[in-house]
Amino acid sequence: MNNLVLFLISITSISAFGQGVEIGQWRDYLPYESGQFVAKMDNKIYLATESSIFYYQADNQSINRISKANGLSDVDISVMKKDSENNLIIVAYQNANIDIINGDKIENISDIKRASILGVKSINNITFYQKDAYLSCSFGIVRLDIQKKEIKSTYFLNNNQSLAVNDLVFYNDSIFAATDSGIFKGKIEDNLSDYRKWSSSNVYDRVQNLEIKGEEFYFIKETDSIFRFVNNVAQFVVKQELLKTIKEIDGQLYVLSRSKLQRLNQFDNLDLLSESSFIYGGNDLIKDGDNYWFADTKKSLVLLNAQNNYITYEPEGPKSNFVFSLSASNEKLFVSPGGITIIWGNNNTYKGFYWFDSYSWNSLNYNELGEQGVRDITTIIEGPSQALFLASWNDGIIELEGGENGYQYKQSHNFFTSNGQMQTLSPEPSSSSYGRIRVKGLAFDNNGDLWATSSLVEKGLARMNTEREWQSYKIKSYNTQASHLGDLIIDDYNQKWFYIAKGDGLVVYNDNNTPEISSDDRDIHLTTTAGQGGLPSNLIFSLAKDRDGQVWIGTDKGIAVFYNPESVLEQDIIDAQQILVESDGYVEPILNNESVTAIAIDGANRKWFGTQSSGVFLYSSDGSEQLEHFTESNSPLFSNNISSIAINQKSGEVFIGTSKGLISYKNGAIEGQDTHSNVLVYPNPVREDYDGPIAIKGLVQDANVKITDINGLLVREFTALGGQAVWDGRNGNGIKVNTGVYLVFTTNENGTETNVAKILLIN
């Protein structure tokens, strides 16, 4: 099998990303390339990554994704195993949560996750024995009754309940458990809940991956050696470089390593079954007739068929679940997987960046961004003529040229430019900081000029005009040379707002729309001091300008708003305002105990707030009413730690970057226009089995909506969410309307722009 024909097929999901989801629904955008576990159930091949699961169905050649967005109860998968006797799959997570996949049904068992156990709780492996599942855990062994979905017993291997079990096997009359302190043995008939019933073999340490072959069992030691365990003695068998795992199948022991599939023969030698650089790192293996299915570190799900061809299967998705920042423009989503650390140092992320065009994912890696490569991309914005600008931490600003085939590198703005106005960390060529520019904020102003915030330099604000000339500006009100500068927004008056890292407030700069630095350029440093900003905190995480031109500030103590940003540099006293609401008889500012890490404005001018530890909040346009609060416990949200939020204003899809990956929520609000444009009702007709939202899109901004029956009798009246109205098919009393044709009358505020649409509703 050495002379293999490599045959690569890229198969995408039948439920393509380009097909929309219903309003109010969630969709995951997780990476699928790193396969960890593979199993077959009901003629479907299941592949688990670290974040989610997909299965390949051969009869229709479809790939179907399963994640927390559509059935799983959690993320961060630690192990997936098939129970052949009960024909089901058990999925365990790093927090010890458990899901059981049984056909189309997924059941959750959260007992271990909720249990009060000291230290880390995780499940490392699963072994099936006499209709029960034995879970190798970070604290011992848990016996799970699969049929009753309940915990039968827990076994601790030492007296302080701290010894982790990596794997276990049932051999003769005993359980053998692999741990970092060797192999422990306990007789099945004993009371194994008593740790004193367990004895240690004292053979080596860091033992993992136990597998039985015939009358003996084997294990991996130090990731490159296979041992046999006989009579409490470990016997060296064979050494294999880059060893990944061993797997017993039908009495044969298969050995997976980098680029190789081998089998241990009766003489304990390795027979080579396949060798190819196509196999990067097989983490798991099953055999299906003459076919081998791999869970591969780089290739996701890999089939080695009887004709010696390799075929890969992988759904569309980004290359990583790291999300540092998001931006949306022209129905594209741009993702930076990593920028800076919490102390504003290099994160050393060499993953390039990704973008999603509403149909497929694309990426450029580290080496494709300039001659030297670019790490730690912080911000991505789209400019004129499809140009893309990437801010990076140390490598300055990267400019990419856009076209039909995506983006390609054009130039770097990371050294002194021709006019010598863009500053670097050090002007000395001999310094290691020479040519380094740390950029966090990027924004285009009303004149088409690109502005950037640059850290640890005297002139921390820089501009590239439309002639591609750079000019740097020194802030009079604050010394930027010793500080890191954060995100940048530009208000309706062309004033530049940016915050200062590590809790030193924010700066507003007004260049008075003049191309050169002049005496009428002004700036102000805003802090918590009354009359000089009145911020709730100097520690700022996020900034946003809403559709009314107001500036919203996210701090570690909630939200502040500058309702009249044009007055910031015109008045002697200027303070932000906090939005006060009544809660349980008390009046307090909204989110006043939250660190607001992200702010996004939707098509109806509503505010989406991402927080450090409490998930996502949706507030009304003025912030006075909380409309939604999504957390990992009440929604498919992967994590309550939110890094960024971006909104596709054409579709209403809200993209949420979390500490555990990217997910989206289909929002009912989209961007409206001055006139009605291609008004569309969907679904239409509304069938009797449909009970979801009915959307009317293509409306003028915030249209007044009246729905009547065919005779003109008013059924409902409400205001559109930006350019889209959402109706639930019910009248004002909440009763579902009868079968018939209904008219949708929409008009702008002064009645000069009107439209009529029809809906056929069947009940």
Side-chain angles (χ1 to χ4, degrees), residues 33-49:
E33 70 173 5
S34 181
Q36 301 296 315
F37 304 95
V38 62
K40 181 182 179 182
M41 183 175 69
D42 300 333
N43 294 317
K44 300 172 184 176
I45 305 297
Y46 287 78
L47 190 285
T49 71

Side-chain angles (χ1 to χ4, degrees), residues 444-746:
F444 280 95
D445 68 13
N446 302 336
N447 302 317
D449 294 346
L450 176 66
W451 290 79
T453 55
S454 183
S455 292
L456 303 178
V457 293
E458 181 184 17
K459 297 179 179 180
L461 186 63
R463 176 183 67 174
M464 185 183 75
N465 63 23
T466 55
E467 301 298 320
R468 315 189 72 74
E469 299 170 327
W470 282 97
Q471 176 74 57
S472 294
Y473 298 81
K474 183 177 181 179
I475 306 302
K476 301 173 186 177
S477 62
Y478 188 84
N479 178 15
T480 62
Q481 192 159 9
S483 299
H484 293 294
L485 308 185
D487 293 334
L488 169 70
I489 64 168
I490 299 177
D491 66 23
D492 289 345
Y493 306 92
N494 245 1
Q495 298 178 130
K496 292 74 191 174
W497 298 65
F498 57 90
Y499 65 84
I500 302 162
K502 302 181 182 179
D504 217 352
L506 63 93
V507 169
V508 184
Y509 188 90
N510 190 332
D511 66 335
N512 285 297
N513 293 315
T514 55
E516 302 294 337
I517 299 174
S518 59
S519 59
D520 62 352
D521 292 357
R522 293 177 295 166
D523 58 79
I524 186 172
H525 179 212
L526 302 175
T527 65
T528 56
T529 302
Q532 298 177 32
L535 298 169
S537 171
N538 285 329
L539 184 56
I540 297 172
F541 296 111
S542 52
L543 306 171
K545 177 181 73 71
D546 74 6
R547 295 182 177 275
D548 293 330
Q550 299 166 357
V551 174
W552 293 66
I553 315 293
T555 78
D556 67 329
K557 293 183 180 179
I559 295 293
V561 187
F562 287 92
Y563 291 106
N564 300 296
E566 72 276 14
S567 302
V568 169
L569 288 161
E570 301 297 332
Q571 297 181 359
D572 293 333
I573 299 176
I574 178 68
D575 279 343
Q577 303 297 313
Q578 289 187 274
I579 299 166
L580 303 178
V581 295
E582 184 177 346
S583 177
D584 298 327
Y586 296 93
V587 176
E588 59 185 12
I590 64 169
L591 304 179
N592 66 321
N593 294 316
E594 303 292 346
S595 291
V596 181
T597 53
I599 306 175
I601 313 298
D602 69 16
N605 205 28
R606 302 182 303 178
K607 278 65 183 180
W608 292 79
F609 300 121
T611 67
Q612 197 172 73
S613 58
S614 298
V616 175
F617 295 82
L618 171 61
Y619 273 80
S620 59
S621 60
D622 62 359
S624 64
E625 182 183 0
Q626 180 181 306
L627 305 175
E628 299 281 2
H629 180 202
F630 299 120
T631 68
E632 58 183 276
S633 61
N634 69 11
S635 76
L637 198 64
F638 300 144
S639 167
N640 288 333
N641 185 352
I642 310 301
S643 60
S644 187
I645 301 176
I647 301 176
N648 183 331
Q649 300 292 356
K650 300 295 184 183
S651 68
E653 191 168 9
V654 180
F655 297 93
I656 303 168
T658 80
S659 61
K660 296 182 179 179
L662 177 64
I663 193 169
S664 77
Y665 175 81
K666 189 62 176 292
N667 177 26
I670 65 173
E671 194 172 50
Q673 306 298 323
D674 294 332
T675 60
H676 289 86
S677 176
N678 300 319
V679 175
L680 173 68
V681 180
Y682 65 98
N684 194 13
V686 182
R687 301 292 181 181
E688 59 271 20
D689 58 349
Y690 181 77
D691 195 32
I694 304 164
I696 307 103
K697 65 183 299 185
L699 307 181
V700 294
Q701 184 74 28
D702 301 330
N704 175 260
V705 182
K706 291 183 179 180
I707 298 176
T708 73
D709 62 18
I710 198 66
N711 298 314
L713 181 65
L714 183 65
V715 175
R716 287 286 292 275
E717 182 174 6
F718 50 90
T719 301
L721 296 173
Q724 180 169 257
V726 181
W727 181 40
D728 61 3
R730 289 170 166 75
N731 62 23
N733 295 320
I735 300 172
K736 202 167 187 177
V737 299
N738 296 323
T739 296
V741 175
Y742 292 84
L743 305 178
V744 182
F745 296 89
T746 55

Side-chain angles (χ1 to χ4, degrees), residues 117-163:
I117 298 174
L118 294 177
V120 176
K121 287 189 297 181
S122 64
I123 299 173
N124 302 320
N125 221 321
I126 303 171
T127 304
F128 300 101
Y129 181 73
Q130 293 185 349
K131 298 184 179 181
D132 288 339
Y134 288 75
L135 313 178
S136 300
C137 300
S138 57
F139 52 83
I141 300 170
V142 173
R143 183 181 177 187
L144 172 67
D145 187 319
I146 299 173
Q147 296 298 324
K148 294 182 179 180
K149 312 293 187 301
E150 63 184 25
I151 304 301
K152 274 188 175 180
S153 52
T154 301
Y155 309 142
F156 300 110
L157 275 60
N158 60 6
N159 60 351
N160 59 8
Q161 305 177 10
S162 61
L163 185 58

Side-chain angles (χ1 to χ4, degrees), residues 104 220 304 380 394 468 555 575 749:
D104 295 329
I220 291 177
L304 173 59
I380 305 172
N394 269 359
R468 315 189 72 74
T555 78
D575 279 343
E749 187 176 6

Side-chain angles (χ1 to χ4, degrees), residues 72-200:
L72 297 182
S73 63
D74 227 312
V75 289
D76 292 337
I77 296 172
S78 60
V79 61
M80 179 186 78
K81 284 291 181 69
K82 163 75 177 298
D83 177 7
S84 298
E85 184 166 340
N86 292 296
N87 192 35
L88 49 81
I89 289 174
I90 295 184
V91 182
Y93 302 92
Q94 291 180 13
N95 61 4
N97 205 1
I98 298 171
D99 281 336
I100 296 180
I101 302 176
N102 190 353
D104 295 329
K105 184 171 62 174
I106 301 177
E107 297 177 272
N108 177 242
I109 302 174
S110 61
D111 300 54
I112 307 175
K113 176 185 175 182
R114 294 183 286 105
S116 297
I117 298 174
L118 294 177
V120 176
K121 287 189 297 181
S122 64
I123 299 173
N124 302 320
N125 221 321
I126 303 171
T127 304
F128 300 101
Y129 181 73
Q130 293 185 349
K131 298 184 179 181
D132 288 339
Y134 288 75
L135 313 178
S136 300
C137 300
S138 57
F139 52 83
I141 300 170
V142 173
R143 183 181 177 187
L144 172 67
D145 187 319
I146 299 173
Q147 296 298 324
K148 294 182 179 180
K149 312 293 187 301
E150 63 184 25
I151 304 301
K152 274 188 175 180
S153 52
T154 301
Y155 309 142
F156 300 110
L157 275 60
N158 60 6
N159 60 351
N160 59 8
Q161 305 177 10
S162 61
L163 185 58
V165 177
N166 301 322
D167 197 4
L168 63 86
V169 293
F170 288 83
Y171 185 69
N172 294 331
D173 61 352
S174 300
I175 301 176
F176 290 83
T179 78
D180 285 352
S181 299
I183 295 178
F184 282 69
K185 174 184 176 182
K187 288 191 175 182
I188 298 172
E189 63 183 22
D190 285 346
N191 176 22
L192 295 180
S193 296
D194 182 353
Y195 74 91
R196 291 170 296 186
K197 297 295 184 179
W198 292 88
S199 60
S200 172

